[in-house]
Amino acid sequence: MLALVAAMGALGATVAQAELTERGDLFVRFDGDLNPEALPRHARAPISVYVSGTVKTLSGKRPPAMRQITIAINRGGTLDTRGLPVCRRQQLEAKDRRQALSACGSALVGRGRYVAALALPDQKTVWAKGRLLAFNAVVDGRRAIFAHVYDDEPVPVSRVFVFRIRHTRGTFGTVFTGHFPASLNRHGYIRQISLNLRRTYVYRGRRHSYLGAECAAPAGFSVGIFPFARVGMAFEDGRRLASTLIRTCKVRD
């Protein structure tokens, strides 16, 4: 059940669509959304979860390299991987996007995009834009995601990093944590990254959804306002920036 932080009396308030967080001259613009907005009151329905982060500096200088990103989803969002195929890391290593989908397409649970900069000393910054594929995985006996990123400019490069998944008590029940090793962006930095998690599938004759939720608006009301997700980033200089995204849901008859 989605934890509501305001009842219908707050409906007149504006729900922010993005949050800007800063530490010194480092800024991150966090954004995210839940789809569909209309959900049953007392039954789990398939949803997609979208989050993004854009990194900037006030001075315009090169920001520090990102080392970790955390996406914590409201405890009302449930994770289901029963019967969902699992991808192995070796199926993705040194593969382009088409090869990755051919090897692990049945385990696909999301897609994303990124913008990164390669900034070698005394050389002009080279920008790279690529796509991210998220695959259901198991790491050390626990559920995880293998994120496969590929870009072909300025040179073809394929990388794989891990989002570990854990469950906690409190407002945010499911936490995805991705680590970016120094070797991934030693000579550059990530300017923007986004991820959209969504997957429905059939297992043993029943429909399943990787993520699902209901809209637990108070009795007699058709709209609820709730802390949808908390997104955070950690950087190589020790700074950590995070923000809680507040969203609404509507009760679907």
Side-chain angles (χ1 to χ4, degrees), residues 79-230:
L79 187 69
D80 182 8
T81 60
R82 288 173 295 175
L84 185 62
V86 173
C87 183
R88 299 188 304 275
R89 185 164 189 153
Q90 57 265 39
Q91 293 177 281
L92 302 175
E93 297 283 5
K95 299 293 193 298
D96 63 25
R97 181 172 177 271
R98 181 176 298 179
Q99 292 170 328
L101 284 171
S102 177
C104 287
S106 62
L108 187 70
V109 294
R111 300 172 185 264
R113 294 181 179 274
Y114 70 93
V115 177
L118 178 62
L120 295 173
D122 301 321
Q123 293 189 25
K124 184 179 179 180
T125 298
V126 178
W127 292 96
K129 297 181 180 180
R131 297 183 181 183
L132 181 155
L133 299 172
F135 298 99
N136 181 47
V138 175
V139 176
D140 298 330
R142 295 178 178 271
R143 289 187 288 192
I145 285 175
F146 285 142
H148 175 272
V149 295
Y150 179 82
D151 60 72
D152 52 16
E153 293 182 2
V155 294
V157 176
S158 173
R159 303 179 180 91
V160 178
F161 59 93
V162 179
F163 277 92
R164 296 178 181 270
I165 302 173
R166 60 187 175 90
H167 298 281
T168 65
R169 296 181 179 180
T171 301
F172 303 103
T174 303
V175 182
F176 301 80
T177 303
H179 294 274
F180 301 88
S183 60
L184 189 66
N185 52 9
R186 179 177 291 112
H187 299 295
Y189 59 92
I190 296 173
R191 175 69 176 272
Q192 185 179 59
I193 186 169
S194 65
L195 178 63
N196 187 48
L197 294 173
R198 181 178 180 88
R199 173 66 190 274
T200 57
Y201 59 101
V202 176
Y203 176 61
R204 293 184 176 178
R206 297 187 63 181
R207 188 186 184 203
H208 292 255
S209 176
Y210 184 70
L211 289 170
E214 59 191 40
C215 183
F221 299 101
S222 61
V223 177
I225 303 176
F226 65 100
F228 156 63
R230 183 165 179 81

Side-chain angles (χ1 to χ4, degrees), residues 8-27:
M8 291 296 292
L11 279 181
T14 299
V15 178
Q17 293 302 303
E19 294 288 343
L20 189 64
T21 305
E22 57 85 19
R23 290 287 187 279
D25 71 336
L26 181 64
F27 290 77

Side-chain angles (χ1 to χ4, degrees), residues 40-63:
R41 187 188 297 274
H42 300 299
R44 182 180 184 272
I47 61 169
S48 66
V49 168
Y50 168 82
V51 294
S52 70
T54 302
V55 181
K56 295 183 178 181
T57 59
L58 185 63
S59 63
K61 294 182 179 180
R62 170 182 171 175

